[in-house]
Amino acid sequence: MTNHWIDLQHSDVILIQGSNAAENHPISFKWVMRAKEKGGKVIHVDPRFTRTSAKADVYAPIRSGTDIAFVGGMIKYIIENKKYFEEYLLNYTNAPFIVGEKFSFKDGLFSGYDPGNRKYDKSSWALEKDENGIPKRDDTLKHPRCVLNMLYQHYKRYDLDKVSAITGTPKEKLLEVYELFASTGVKDRAGTVMYALGQTQSTIGVQKIRSLCIMQLLLGNIGICGGGVNALRGEPNVQGSTDHAILYHYLPGYMPVPRAGKQTVEEYIKAATPASKDPRSANWYANTPKYVVSLLKSWFGDVATPENGFGYSWLPKCDDGQNCDVLHMIDDMYAGKIKGYFCIGQNPCGSLPNSNKVRAAMTKLDWMVHVNIFDNESASFWKGPGLDPKKVKTECFLLPATANLEKDGSQATSGRWMQWLHRAVDNPGDCLSTGAIVTRLMHKIQEMYKKEGGAMPDGLLNMRMDYLTPDGKEFDALKVARRINGEFERDVKIGDKEYKKGQPVPGFGLLQADGSTSCGNWLCSGSFSLDGKNLMDRRGKEDPTGLGLYPNWSYCWPMNRRIVYNRASVDLQGRPYNPKRALLQWRDGKWVGDVADGPWPPMGMEGGKLPFIMKPDGVASLFGPGLGDGPFPEHYEPLESPLKRNLMSKQHNSPIITIFKSDKDKVASADPRYPLVLTTYSATEHWCSGAITRWQSWLTEAMPQVYVEISEELAKERGFKNGEWVTVESARGRIDAVAMVTPRLRPLTVDGKATHLVGMTYNYGWLHPKDSGDTCNLLTTFVGDGNAGTPEYKACMVNINRKA
Amino acid sequence: MSDGKSILVDTSRCTGCRGCQVACKQWNDLPGTRTKQAGTYQNPPDFSCDTYKIVRFAEGKKEGSREPYWYFFADMCRHCMNPPCMSASDKDEIVQDEATGAIVYTKETKNIDFETARSSCPYDVPRQNPDSKVLSKCTMCIDRMRSGLKPACVLSCPTAMEFGEREAILKLAEERVAELKKIWPKAKAIDADEVRVIFIVTDDPKKYHTHAQA
């Protein structure tokens, strides 16, 4: 989240798109309902009418996977009707910058596409710069190639007729949503976006979210109280696990994963550190060298020295261009290229797409170690449906883990609040925390390496793993947290202040690139005070701004800033655009309110800096060359779609996605055998694949068995009765489910044709309870987002028949 | 004596998350029963001796529109001011707590006539344990209230339930209904003068649940 949960109450219009917040984030609705009581309006855009829609003022149905078309129409509406916040656009975004002449867009493809490698050469996606290397600008916004006009050129194609034909949303509904949300493009109104997996789980997921960012920037809704683009994270600590690099392609603190092409720490740092020639740009990532060196120091301690590149060469590296996301991993596993698998706290046989492929992939392993609090369909895959345990070669281990209430540690909320939690109950039986399991395993590996040697010993043997409590049994979470925060590795003087070896670094501004500091994750630096106090453990309820920022409750990265980019909430003189919700203001030579995004004075004063400090140009990117599939989001169809052609262009699917080609990867798009759009999700009563919640009788009582939600119209057409068992089938698998016939779903008119949409959860599994059914992922396609690899769970094509 | 306690269930704010349904089972140590998916989110399908609180889900299409509605009714004993079910009780099988006004079924209800108790209740709340014959229903968490705690369902609710002194709750209900009436003319607090557990609805109570209103 750019903002935080409590801040939702300040919105005048809340757009919930790609999220079923009331069901999947029930507590969020405490704040959504509060916004409503103050006169705020709630819009829900979703393929299904859910418990969220039931509380919305406006509900707009949409065909799953077509959000860019929906939001593209909104962008067009905002620009055409001049609903944008012009002062904000001119000063805080790259709207007035000039796009280079080499950039073009034609037939659904941007300039620089290489069809052979399914990749773009992005060199033409550039802004024009002046002789000093500063982007050229036209503050009259008249230049035909200024970003705002290029943006309009791109989105004027998204007219109401076309958007409605793609999304299935009735035109009058589109207009109603556009008008209502665009009403927030003024100083004294705020609009926010709540999104979740309905945006991300798509071959164009990242660009869908970017389209929402563009919309919010046009309206001046980023960096303000009641605004933002807010990702609702899927469990209490998804934010924390992403911050700490649970994904393969980056290191803690969102720094790129080392690749074979960067053999030295200097090469790595050079590539990862952006430069800006604009003196008004803070270009915060210029500090990357400090974060990289401090990270290496946290891992390797004293043995990391300038002479050995702080141990960078000991790190394992991906090949250049290598993709190791979860789909590529399973694909490699299925191809027999992976021998062993640690599966910790995940149930891939239920939660990854195309379960038949995932389950078959597991049989190709020599061994699997599974760590979980309960048995599940992955730990026990070898006795799953259709498998003869005697014929499965994989040797499987199941290690019992502790649940979150059985250990100390931090949980980071979606709003980036790192809250320290204390163990509530003891570990049952032999259960260990995952931290203890991993640390003890590493100790054993280090011991064996010392005795027997092995491949690449330096990194393994030099890795600091002193993370157990003195009795050697438990994981010392507080010690790890302190090391993540960062410590001075020697006595050091910075400016005129002296710091002692072993003291916590009280903020990432003090991290150094010379090895004098260590820090396991620069974002978290500041979560301990210099005198060693754990700020995550704070529970102060003071609210000095009256806006519910609660600065003394827990610790919020970065630097306890509750709303990021907050300097965009004030004008050039530091006066709040909306005095009624004054997040920040410049008073008597200093910032008052939230922790400002940097200490510099307002932009209109000497020494002032641009507000989007994480961007090299200091402004937000309406034109953004960072992603792999284009500087502007463009609509492409899901891999499986009811349409033969993309109504926007000749390019049917995203041009950069990996198309997997194993015998399990059957695809049937616009195929009369599979005429129904399937969307998938989770219900309130279960959690993800249900691996934890299905053992809880109060929850299985409330949601006992697999079901498929279908419209009354489809039921009538096919003669299905509510509550009867049916078989749902895709090109990849089939599953029996109870038909839930409901007025909450309805056919949509897509490209002039009635299109039915059905929905299922992935909450069930064959293991337990025995009559609960199985996962909807037996049906879904094995394909991921072009940038992030997130599987396209939200849209594939199926058929339904009465159960034979 | 004060006027006792009351609970407000504002269905206009309820998201049907069923936190209350589960919290009730947790506090009262009631088992999860074996259920089947019957084509609805509502489960268990009805009250039982193991279920004192359920969220009833009602859906349909708004009049003259393709737009659906979906109503959530977190059903429970209303703890009537003058409870008809007590007419089935000769002695102290059913008691009305003096301090809070909660209506509590004791173990001695095994000796009274279940059908009389159930049929007397306008909200169809009482149920019977088929083995012990003891009657059962929501206790308003009298054990929690006596320790100064909110009822479990109220504590778990993120959006819709309030608990407090009856006078305060009645006032809150009145204000909320006045506010809701601006958008929903049918908004009302159901049987507010007769019951301690007051449901606010924005549409005809029958659309939520057959026994929503006396």
Side-chain angles (χ1 to χ4, degrees):
Chain A
M1 283 185 165
T2 53
N3 295 41
H4 59 105
W5 294 107
I6 296 171
D7 189 63
L8 295 169
Q9 67 178 313
H10 298 302
S11 293
D12 295 293
V13 186
I14 299 178
L15 173 63
I16 307 176
Q17 182 164 354
S19 155
N20 181 4
E23 298 194 38
N24 298 130
H25 301 88
I27 311 297
S28 71
F29 256 65
K30 177 175 179 170
W31 307 107
V32 172
M33 295 311 291
R34 222 168 264 195
K36 272 181 73 123
E37 270 147 42
K38 295 180 195 170
K41 299 284 180 208
V42 176
I43 303 169
H44 191 217
V45 180
D46 202 277
R48 294 182 304 139
F49 186 96
T50 66
R51 286 179 249 189
T52 301
S53 328
K55 297 289 129 182
D57 298 281
V58 180
Y59 166 69
I62 182 174
R63 173 166 65 98
S64 208
T66 63
D67 301 76
I68 289 180
F70 192 103
V71 178
M74 172 96 77
I75 293 171
K76 172 178 184 282
Y77 176 89
I78 292 168
I79 300 177
E80 256 170 26
N81 295 285
K82 289 212 162 33
K83 296 283 184 185
Y84 48 81
F85 185 1
E86 191 164 348
E87 185 179 323
Y88 184 105
L89 271 193
L90 279 174
N91 293 315
Y92 300 156
T93 76
N94 65 11
F97 292 14
I98 313 295
V99 177
E101 277 177 3
K102 287 183 189 154
F103 170 76
S104 67
F105 175 79
K106 207 178 152 199
D107 285 341
L109 290 171
F110 296 92
S111 45
Y113 186 61
D114 170 1
N117 289 316
R118 296 180 62 79
K119 264 200 168 91
Y120 280 104
D121 167 2
K122 297 199 277 185
S123 57
S124 64
W125 307 352
L127 296 167
E128 281 187 3
K129 300 210 168 160
D130 67 15
E131 61 282 5
N132 298 318
I134 295 172
K136 287 187 190 168
R137 55 190 298 149
D138 172 22
D139 284 344
T140 68
L141 297 172
K142 291 206 172 105
H143 194 294
R145 276 185 292 105
C146 84
V147 167
L148 186 67
N149 291 332
M150 296 295 279
L151 187 72
Y152 180 62
Q153 283 303 312
H154 192 80
Y155 289 105
K156 75 176 184 190
R157 302 151 51 235
Y158 288 74
D159 60 69
L160 278 184
D161 287 317
K162 204 161 257 181
V163 171
S164 178
I166 294 170
T167 59
T169 313
K171 277 194 276 185
E172 63 279 6
K173 245 334 151 195
L174 288 170
L175 259 182
E176 189 183 356
V177 173
Y178 294 171
E179 277 174 25
L180 180 54
F181 199 76
S183 74
T184 63
V186 290
K187 289 179 186 178
D188 59 349
R189 277 170 72 77
T192 192
V193 175
M194 295 166 70
Y195 80 88
L197 308 177
Q199 299 291 352
T200 59
Q201 293 177 343
S202 161
T203 41
I204 49 173
V206 178
Q207 290 282 18
K208 284 185 188 178
I209 297 155
R210 226 185 92 66
S211 70
L212 292 166
C213 294
I214 291 172
M215 172 189 83
Q216 285 293 64
L217 288 166
L218 288 171
L219 298 170
N221 276 334
I222 301 276
I224 69 168
C225 183
V229 174
N230 292 305
L232 316 184
R233 314 306 307 262
E235 62 146 311
N237 208 14
V238 164
Q239 184 65 51
S241 57
T242 5
D243 298 339
H244 292 295
I246 198 170
L247 299 174
Y248 88 93
H249 63 291
Y250 60 95
L251 299 181
Y254 303 99
M255 293 188 289
V257 74
R259 296 205 177 252
K262 309 275 179 294
Q263 283 294 315
T264 67
V265 73
E266 291 81 12
E267 287 172 287
Y268 172 83
I269 283 174
K270 192 172 172 225
T273 310
S276 170
K277 296 197 170 149
D278 188 341
R280 294 190 311 158
S281 170
N283 185 27
W284 194 262
Y285 276 119
N287 293 305
T288 302
K290 300 170 187 173
Y291 307 154
V292 173
V293 170
S294 297
L295 176 62
L296 291 167
K297 284 295 286 185
S298 83
W299 283 341
F300 298 121
D302 289 342
V303 291
T305 62
E307 292 71 36
N308 61 22
F310 300 101
Y312 171 84
S313 64
W314 306 329
L315 297 181
K317 295 173 186 67
C318 286
D319 287 338
D320 290 320
Q322 184 185 4
N323 192 327
C324 308
D325 67 23
V326 72
L327 295 183
H328 287 82
M329 177 187 83
I330 295 292
D331 195 58
D332 279 351
M333 199 183 284
Y334 183 62
K337 293 180 195 164
I338 293 179
K339 298 294 172 201
Y341 179 34
F342 275 92
C343 183
I344 302 177
Q346 200 190 18
N347 182 16
C349 288
S351 61
L352 291 184
N354 194 355
S355 312
N356 283 322
K357 180 175 179 180
V358 179
R359 293 170 187 186
M362 300 239 168
T363 66
K364 309 280 179 87
L365 294 166
D366 290 345
W367 55 265
M368 177 181 70
V369 179
H370 197 92
V371 182
N372 223 311
I373 66 172
F374 295 124
D375 190 9
N376 60 46
E377 289 75 21
S378 303
S380 284
F381 82 89
W382 49 273
K383 55 180 176 184
L387 281 182
D388 176 359
K390 287 185 195 136
K391 290 185 183 149
V392 177
K393 67 166 179 169
T394 317
E395 189 178 3
C396 297
F397 306 85
L398 175 57
L399 306 183
T402 52
N404 59 338
L405 298 177
E406 294 159 359
K407 56 195 173 191
D408 291 345
S410 69
Q411 281 187 355
T413 72
S414 301
R416 298 164 285 103
W417 295 19
M418 298 151 60
Q419 304 189 108
W420 195 261
L421 302 182
H422 296 270
R423 180 190 213 170
V425 284
D426 283 341
N427 310 359
D430 293 330
C431 295
L432 286 176
S433 71
T434 5
I437 291 171
V438 171
T439 309
R440 285 161 71 157
L441 183 68
M442 270 299 283
H443 287 172
K444 191 73 195 170
I445 293 170
Q446 286 175 329
E447 185 190 310
M448 290 172 74
Y449 256 71
K450 272 181 207 154
K451 225 183 282 172
E452 302 165 20
M456 296 179 68
D458 297 328
L460 265 167
L461 291 173
N462 290 329
M463 179 72 66
R464 290 207 286 202
M465 289 302 291
D466 49 343
Y467 295 134
L468 295 183
T469 49
D471 61 6
K473 284 185 182 159
E474 300 274 348
F475 183 64
D476 190 341
L478 193 64
K479 185 173 186 179
V480 175
R482 205 175 135 122
R483 200 162 283 168
I484 287 169
N485 171 82
E487 292 167 332
F488 291 99
E489 291 291 313
R490 57 176 185 253
D491 292 354
V492 62
K493 194 172 175 184
I494 302 168
D496 51 6
K497 261 198 109 171
E498 284 180 24
Y499 301 92
K500 293 278 171 223
K501 180 179 177 177
Q503 273 188 312
V505 179
F508 49 73
L510 289 168
L511 294 174
Q512 304 296 318
D514 60 2
S516 59
T517 57
S518 65
C519 175
N521 188 331
W522 71 274
L523 290 173
C524 306
S525 190
S527 55
F528 281 76
S529 63
L530 190 62
D531 58 4
K533 200 170 158 226
N534 176 6
L535 302 184
M536 296 179 276
D537 210 8
R538 295 183 300 178
R539 294 294 184 270
K541 292 184 184 171
E542 302 80 12
D543 183 18
T545 58
L547 296 173
L549 301 181
Y550 300 108
N552 299 323
W553 182 283
S554 75
Y555 178 81
C556 176
W557 74 256
M559 293 315 292
N560 212 29
R561 183 169 304 127
R562 304 283 157 148
I563 295 179
V564 295
Y565 301 121
N566 51 27
R567 290 196 309 138
S569 70
V570 299
D571 67 13
L572 298 184
Q573 301 306 315
R575 292 172 299 221
Y577 279 128
N578 183 358
K580 277 192 223 143
R581 291 188 286 247
L583 179 60
L584 200 64
Q585 51 192 312
W586 183 258
R587 220 162 50 198
D588 305 328
K590 61 176 189 200
W591 289 109
V592 181
D594 194 8
V595 176
D597 245 334
W600 315 284
M603 260 183 69
M605 297 181 186
E606 201 185 324
K609 297 276 185 201
L610 290 155
F612 286 86
I613 64 171
M614 306 314 284
K615 306 294 294 180
D617 293 331
V619 294
S621 309
L622 298 174
F623 179 87
L627 297 178
D629 43 2
F632 294 132
E634 171 68 5
H635 170 74
Y636 303 108
E637 285 293 316
L639 183 65
E640 280 190 351
S641 140
L643 296 182
K644 276 202 167 64
R645 62 187 184 108
N646 177 359
L647 300 184
M648 286 315 301
S649 73
K650 285 184 193 148
Q651 184 63 36
H652 191 66
N653 300 124
S654 161
I656 66 158
I657 51 174
T658 305
I659 306 290
F660 292 95
K661 299 219 165 101
S662 83
D663 61 335
K664 298 276 186 197
D665 289 299
K666 297 190 186 98
V667 174
S669 194
D671 183 325
R673 290 174 301 166
Y674 306 103
L676 313 173
V677 178
L678 172 74
T679 188
T680 71
Y681 41 88
S682 177
T684 312
E685 295 76 4
H686 284 294
W687 189 60
C688 296
S689 75
I692 290 174
T693 47
R694 279 184 277 118
W695 301 92
Q696 218 314 331
S697 66
W698 299 323
L699 298 174
T700 48
E701 173 190 50
M703 276 295 190
Q705 290 174 304
V706 60
Y707 53 96
V708 53
E709 294 186 273
I710 63 178
S711 69
E712 291 171 340
E713 290 85 349
L714 178 64
K716 199 171 159 197
E717 222 172 79
R718 302 284 186 93
F720 299 141
K721 286 194 198 69
N722 190 38
E724 79 170 314
W725 282 86
V726 293
T727 302
V728 190
E729 201 170 348
S730 77
R732 295 156 296 282
R734 51 159 58 200
I735 176 177
D736 295 335
V738 174
M740 186 183 281
V741 179
T742 170
R744 296 179 291 98
L745 282 173
R746 59 175 122 161
L748 298 173
T749 307
V750 176
D751 196 14
K753 210 176 133 205
T755 304
H756 290 290
L757 189 132
V758 300
M760 292 186 79
T761 77
Y762 72 116
N763 296 144
Y764 299 99
W766 56 265
L767 184 71
H768 183 80
K770 290 293 176 208
D771 65 350
S772 74
D774 212 334
T775 174
C776 66
N777 280 320
L778 289 158
L779 307 167
T780 47
T781 46
F782 196 87
V783 66
D785 176 81
N787 288 290
T790 310
E792 189 161 66
Y793 296 105
K794 285 292 184 258
C796 69
M797 300 302 291
V798 299
N799 198 14
I800 305 182
N801 288 300
R802 181 161 288 128
K803 191 181 164 187
Chain B
M1 177 191 148
S2 78
D3 221 2
K5 304 288 184 186
S6 260
I7 293 174
L8 185 67
V9 186
D10 183 351
T11 68
S12 76
R13 285 187 174 116
C14 173
T15 60
C17 75
R18 295 201 272 198
C20 56
Q21 181 177 314
V22 171
C24 177
K25 294 231 160 186
Q26 183 180 30
W27 179 255
N28 292 297
D29 217 1
L30 296 168
T33 55
R34 291 305 298 269
T35 56
K36 297 273 178 201
Q37 175 52 262
T40 169
Y41 278 47
Q42 185 175 315
N43 239 330
D46 201 359
F47 290 135
S48 75
C49 63
D50 294 324
T51 303
Y52 303 163
K53 171 126 191 155
I54 51 168
V55 177
R56 299 187 188 274
F57 291 75
E59 61 189 21
K61 283 189 175 155
K62 289 180 190 161
E63 277 166 48
S65 163
R66 284 185 73 199
E67 292 258 325
Y69 69 81
W70 204 6
Y71 292 149
F72 317 120
F73 195 84
D75 204 5
M76 65 192 287
C77 173
R78 307 298 195 281
H79 295 275
C80 299
M81 306 301 287
N82 296 298
C85 63
M86 281 183 87
S87 64
S89 165
D90 296 330
K91 302 175 204 141
D92 284 340
E93 294 93 347
I94 300 177
V95 293
Q96 186 163 25
D97 179 57
E98 216 169 284
T100 62
I103 310 300
V104 182
Y105 288 5
T106 68
K107 289 213 166 72
E108 299 310 312
T109 50
K110 68 182 182 213
N111 299 319
I112 68 174
D113 183 50
F114 168 52
E115 281 312 318
T116 306
R118 180 167 176 177
S119 61
S120 72
C121 174
Y123 309 103
D124 192 33
V125 169
R127 293 295 185 270
Q128 184 179 41
N129 184 315
D131 302 322
S132 69
K133 306 297 176 195
V134 172
L135 306 197
S136 62
K137 64 160 194 72
C138 156
T139 68
M140 211 170 164
C141 281
I142 186 161
D143 43 355
R144 292 178 59 87
M145 289 196 293
R146 282 188 173 162
S147 303
L149 300 169
K150 290 177 182 177
C153 56
V154 179
L155 182 71
S156 75
C157 179
T159 56
M161 294 175 81
E162 299 283 349
F163 168 76
E165 297 298 324
R166 179 165 171 78
E167 301 96 294
I169 292 293
L170 279 173
K171 187 161 171 278
L172 203 61
E174 198 182 321
E175 288 166 2
R176 179 67 179 162
V177 169
E179 192 61 34
L180 288 169
K181 268 187 186 294
K182 292 177 193 166
I183 307 171
W184 292 285
K186 289 183 187 167
K188 65 193 268 187
I190 299 176
D191 304 333
D193 294 336
E194 318 293 329
V195 296
R196 286 188 185 278
V197 177
I198 303 164
F199 283 79
I200 291 180
V201 290
T202 53
D203 200 351
D204 177 3
K206 285 220 166 359
K207 279 192 175 171
Y208 293 75
H209 169 44
T210 325
H211 300 287
Q213 182 172 285

